[in-house]
Amino acid sequence: MAYSYVWPPALPRAPRRDGWTEKAGANVLRTPMDAGPAKLRRRSARPDSHQCTYRMTTEQVALFRAFVDDTLKAVARFGWPHPRTKATVEARLVPSDDGIYTVAVAGRGLWDVTVTIEVMP
Amino acid sequence: MSRLNSMSPAALRALLAPEADDDLIVLLTLSGANITTPIRLADGYTQRLSETATDIVYGVRSRGVDYMFLPLQITLPDEQHGSAPRCSVTIHDVSRQLIPVVRGIVGAPTVTLELVLASSPDAVEAEFPALYMSGIEYDADTVSGELTTESLSSEPFPAHTFTPSICPGLF
């Protein structure tokens, strides 16, 4: 695996327990038939998608923004600590209609940063 | 003879089984017509062919040759008696590598289609050689064309005609 950047050590290593979901699987083609059950065919592997919400301080949010905007340019792959396996995996950010990440107030000086990350096959 | 007769049981299972854990991948080779290096594409991938810090290339390695994954929409040739097989292909040129090549093409490029199983990419299940791509159209995102074979039925026979210059005794 070749990537030039890694998740900054100063950022939280794991997302919030109630702010993480993982979607995994493969590219499967499902074709309904005129009669009988649908046919399934496995096409290929697909990236695992992780919806993560990290609780960050104001300084960590600034570091995260610099990492995404200046280092990754929002497209580069990076080494990311997998929340479940704890291994460093090759991942990249997934944009949505609302942008790359969202920041919400969580408390005094605390912020919830939500981002979607996919692990490359 | 239908190509289904020459395909392996595993390939037939991938085609016909209600749940198939294997997939037939189309390998497309574009050559000739002023193309210096044959372009090899696949409509699926089994592995990473190369990777750098900025890019990953997925594709299929078949018989020691790399076929780069690009989304393809292809209609395979039919097998009608009395007419040349025809099919069409649309290549989603997301990497923008094909359009400069297409612009430099002189003549109809030769296209070879091969079907391989994702689990055994070195074994060719079916091959459609000696196709020619014509009617090439392209835009910012796609390159499309018709694939045909050389139609010998439209060639004149015999090659010569009886004219006074060739057969003066007839006139």
Side-chain angles (χ1 to χ4, degrees):
Chain A
M1 297 185 178
Y3 46 82
S4 299
Y5 314 109
V6 292
W7 184 258
L11 294 180
R13 302 290 292 174
R16 291 173 54 83
R17 183 179 303 175
D18 58 352
W20 172 66
T21 55
E22 178 181 3
K23 295 181 181 178
N27 276 331
V28 175
L29 181 63
R30 181 183 173 90
T31 306
M33 299 289 110
D34 291 338
K39 287 196 174 182
L40 297 177
R41 177 176 298 119
R42 185 184 190 281
R43 298 301 308 273
S44 63
R46 63 178 291 175
D48 294 342
S49 177
H50 299 256
Q51 178 98 11
C52 304
T53 299
Y54 292 93
R55 178 66 55 88
M56 297 185 185
T57 63
T58 304
E59 292 75 22
Q60 287 177 325
V61 172
L63 177 62
F64 177 77
R65 286 176 62 96
F67 177 63
V68 171
D69 298 339
D70 303 330
T71 303
L72 300 181
K73 303 286 195 294
V75 294
R77 289 169 284 121
F78 57 98
W80 177 65
H82 195 288
R84 177 170 48 82
T85 66
K86 310 303 179 189
T88 299
V89 296
E90 185 179 23
R92 64 183 182 183
L93 302 173
V94 180
S96 67
D97 294 338
D98 300 326
I100 302 296
Y101 55 90
T102 59
V103 182
V105 175
R108 193 181 182 89
L110 293 176
W111 311 89
D112 280 340
V113 177
T114 302
V115 63
T116 302
I117 296 172
E118 63 181 6
V119 178
M120 305 299 292
Chain B
M1 178 177 168
S2 171
R3 283 181 171 82
L4 285 179
N5 294 337
S6 60
M7 296 173 74
S8 67
L12 291 174
R13 197 176 310 119
L15 272 178
L16 303 173
E19 294 90 24
D21 59 357
D22 210 345
D23 188 32
L24 277 170
I25 298 175
V26 176
L27 304 180
L28 183 148
T29 304
L30 211 61
S31 60
N34 218 32
I35 298 174
T36 52
T37 306
I39 298 171
R40 297 187 172 89
L41 306 174
D43 73 341
Y45 67 89
T46 59
Q47 63 181 90
R48 297 185 178 191
L49 298 180
S50 66
E51 59 181 291
T52 63
T54 56
D55 193 19
I56 302 176
V57 177
Y58 291 95
V60 176
R61 184 161 292 147
S62 174
R63 294 153 289 164
V65 177
D66 290 344
Y67 293 79
M68 184 177 69
F69 167 61
L70 268 187
L72 300 175
Q73 288 170 340
I74 192 163
T75 52
L76 292 175
D78 55 10
E79 294 178 329
Q80 300 290 336
H81 291 290
S83 65
R86 299 183 69 93
C87 74
S88 62
V89 61
T90 299
I91 305 169
H92 296 270
D93 188 18
V94 294
S95 60
R96 305 289 176 90
Q97 294 179 359
L98 286 183
I99 291 177
V101 175
V102 169
R103 285 177 173 165
I105 282 178
V106 177
T110 304
V111 176
T112 301
L113 297 179
E114 296 165 308
L115 295 181
V116 298
L117 279 174
S119 60
S120 56
D122 292 330
V124 177
E125 300 290 342
E127 184 178 9
F128 304 92
L131 294 169
Y132 296 94
M133 182 181 277
S134 60
I136 300 175
E137 297 178 349
Y138 62 90
D139 57 24
D141 299 321
T142 61
V143 175
S144 61
E146 292 282 329
L147 301 182
T148 58
T149 59
E150 188 175 5
S151 178
L152 296 177
S153 61
S154 62
E155 293 292 325
F157 183 83
H160 302 292
T161 48
F162 294 99
T163 61
S165 61
I166 296 177
C167 300
L170 293 177
F171 299 92

